[in-house]
Amino acid sequence: MIEAIDIHKSFDDKEVLKGISTKFEKGKTNLIIGQSGSGKTVLLKSLVGLHDITSGDIRYDDNSFLSMDNASKKRLRQDIGMLFQGSALFDSLTVEENVRFPLDMFTDWNLEKKRERANFCINRVKLENANHKFPSEISGGMQKRVAIARAIALNPKYLFCDEPNSGLDPRTSIVIDELIHEITKEFDMTTIVNTHDMNSVMGIGENIIFIYEGRKLWEGTKDDIFHVQNKELEDFIFASKLFKKIKENNG
Amino acid sequence: MRMFYHLGRYAIFLKKVFGKPEKHSVFVKQIVREIDKLGIDSLGIVMIISAFMGAVITLQTAYNIDLPIIPKYTVGLAARDSILLEFSSTIVGLILAGKVGSNIASEIGTMRVTEQIDALEIMGINPAGYLILPKVVAFVFIIPALTVISMGVGITGGYLAGSLTGEVPGPDYIYGIQFAFQPFYIVYALIKSVVFAFIIATISAYWGYHVQGGALEVGKASTKAVVASSVQILLFNLILTQLLLA
Ligand SMILES: Nc1ncnc2c1ncn2[C@@H]1O[C@H](COP(=O)(O)OP(=O)(O)OP(=O)(O)O)[C@@H](O)[C@H]1O
Ligand SMILES: [Mg+2]
């Protein structure tokens, strides 16, 4: 479980996160939803320590992140897998080398064992015949899969995904969403996914928080989300014509 | 004010770069790769420029001291000293600031804007140390070789230009380049080139590492890297000359 306690984050004098508290549960896909610019990426990066927060605290299974020394932070990092908005694969390494990278850096395994683990992860995300290709030679959807494989290589306890289906077509998006969801269950991880895609919300939203201009306006599950009386959230959901239609048909 | 801001941030950046490397075996492998990328790949341009500059220096000197009382071998001597003192370190340094500096800044900058640096950081790796230290070490290590090669090629270029045009007969030139030779000039050039390599690698990496934005900003950072390292090369050329030769 990861807990955010009254997180504030400012850049210079611009306050982007204005006091966010919530709990992200273990074994679930926790979604952070909100419009572009609402602060989702900043929140995610603050949770993992890529941004230093201005005030508040972050707890990983009851250990305060801010009061950890560097060695503990480093140990924690190896329990974190992260999927970035643009995949962030290393351009100069092949698919297999990308997935093997965390193993190369943090294990003393021999090459054979590392390759075995890398291939396990690559197969797990259902990638075929791409081991020796470079990131620039594969499609966006495949890059996301590689990024997932790399993120799970060290068997992390926590998985962070920043818009895992940005730039993908709707069908591939669903496949990637489901993959993240399955992996979360399979390895019992605490997964946090940023998205502004309502399809993801309806597909895998077990625990959802809605961020609006740096504040948490709502928290709940995909089953309650349509019954909420909140103007900002409704505007967000029904920006999609499809969902508007569904709502009208349901009366 | 901006200058102090950058100076401070550069100092903090250097501290990160020189942090303890993650894993020895990985570090060594990276250095070998960087020597190939930064050093061997620069060999071509260094040789071409040195050959032509050596030739031009020789011919210009020959045309300028066209007095019968001055012996022809002085041309060899003058060409040698220009090449050793200034050309193979400073001019080659400026050329490499363009080639290697923009290469480093754009590579690191691209990794920054595509979040590859964040990806390293999230794994618990010190990105500055992991990505940049091998470049600095490799470049500082390889540049003396480039400098010596540049000297050899430059002097040979002068010889060929002098004898092919008939302006400076071969034997005179050979005599000239040995006349009153000061081995310290080579040491001086090597010291300068090592300092320049450090300047190019760290300043360019600094600009790349701190890019914010997208591809456009990477381009700008790359330009800044070349300009800033060139200016520092000129400044340190002055300082080192004062320290070493005065
Ligand atoms: N490094 C930074 N420095 C200054 N401001 C920043 C920085 N990073 C983000 N911001 C600002 O914080 C706000 C929130 O940005 P953020 O990237 O978190 O949005 P987002 O919800 O992830 O949007 P998107 O869906 O488009 O990815 C934006 O107004 C952005 O300009
Ligand atoms: Mg974002």
Side-chain angles (χ1 to χ4, degrees), chain A residues 118-135:
Chain A
N119 278 304
F120 169 83
C121 297
I122 291 170
N123 290 333
R124 184 62 197 79
V125 298
K126 303 195 181 73
L127 255 183
E128 277 154 17
N129 304 323
N131 280 31
H132 301 294
K133 291 198 170 123
F134 285 93

Side-chain angles (χ1 to χ4, degrees), chain B residues 54-201:
Chain B
V56 170
I57 290 171
T58 303
L59 292 182
Q60 280 178 352
T61 316
Y63 296 140
N64 275 318
I65 50 174
D66 206 12
L67 283 175
I69 43 161
I70 301 177
K72 280 286 181 202
Y73 72 79
T74 9
V75 177
L77 182 151
R80 176 201 72 202
D81 283 354
S82 328
I83 289 169
L84 293 194
L85 286 173
E86 215 33 43
F87 179 71
S88 290
S89 50
T90 313
I91 307 294
V92 168
L94 290 172
I95 303 285
L96 292 177
K99 184 181 182 294
V100 173
S102 62
N103 173 302
I104 292 179
S106 57
E107 181 184 327
I108 302 288
T110 303
M111 292 190 76
R112 166 62 77 193
V113 301
T114 56
E115 299 180 307
Q116 293 176 52
I117 291 186
D118 285 343
L120 285 170
E121 185 136 19
I122 205 66
M123 291 177 194
I125 295 167
N126 162 14
Y130 174 77
L131 294 172
I132 295 158
L133 187 59
K135 290 186 192 296
V136 177
V137 173
F139 197 41
V140 165
F141 176 79
I142 197 72
I143 207 161
L146 290 176
T147 308
V148 170
I149 290 169
S150 160
M151 290 170 177
V153 173
I155 289 174
T156 311
Y159 172 82
L160 290 177
S163 42
L164 290 179
T165 56
E167 286 297 329
V168 190
D172 285 341
Y173 187 85
I174 302 278
Y175 180 76
I177 61 174
Q178 291 167 330
F179 188 85
F181 171 60
Q182 298 222 29
F184 181 71
Y185 285 2
I186 293 184
V187 177
Y188 160 79
L190 292 181
I191 292 174
K192 284 206 300 185
S193 69
V194 165
V195 172
F196 296 162
F198 184 84
I199 288 174
I200 294 168

Side-chain angles (χ1 to χ4, degrees), chain A residues 40-41 85 162-163 194:
Chain A
K40 301 184 297 292
T41 300
Q85 204 158 343
D162 195 3
E163 311 222 3
N194 267 358

Side-chain angles (χ1 to χ4, degrees), chain A residues 11 14 16 35-42 85 163 196, chain B residues 212:
Chain A
F11 293 102
K14 183 179 167 206
V16 176
Q35 285 173 353
S36 193
S38 55
K40 301 184 297 292
T41 300
V42 173
Q85 204 158 343
E163 311 222 3
H196 46 209
Chain B
Q212 273 186 357

Side-chain angles (χ1 to χ4, degrees), chain A residues 57-59 63-69 72-73:
Chain A
D57 197 8
I58 300 152
R59 296 176 155 269
N63 298 315
S64 161
F65 183 73
L66 294 190
S67 43
M68 280 182 202
D69 57 15
S72 324
K73 266 190 193 154

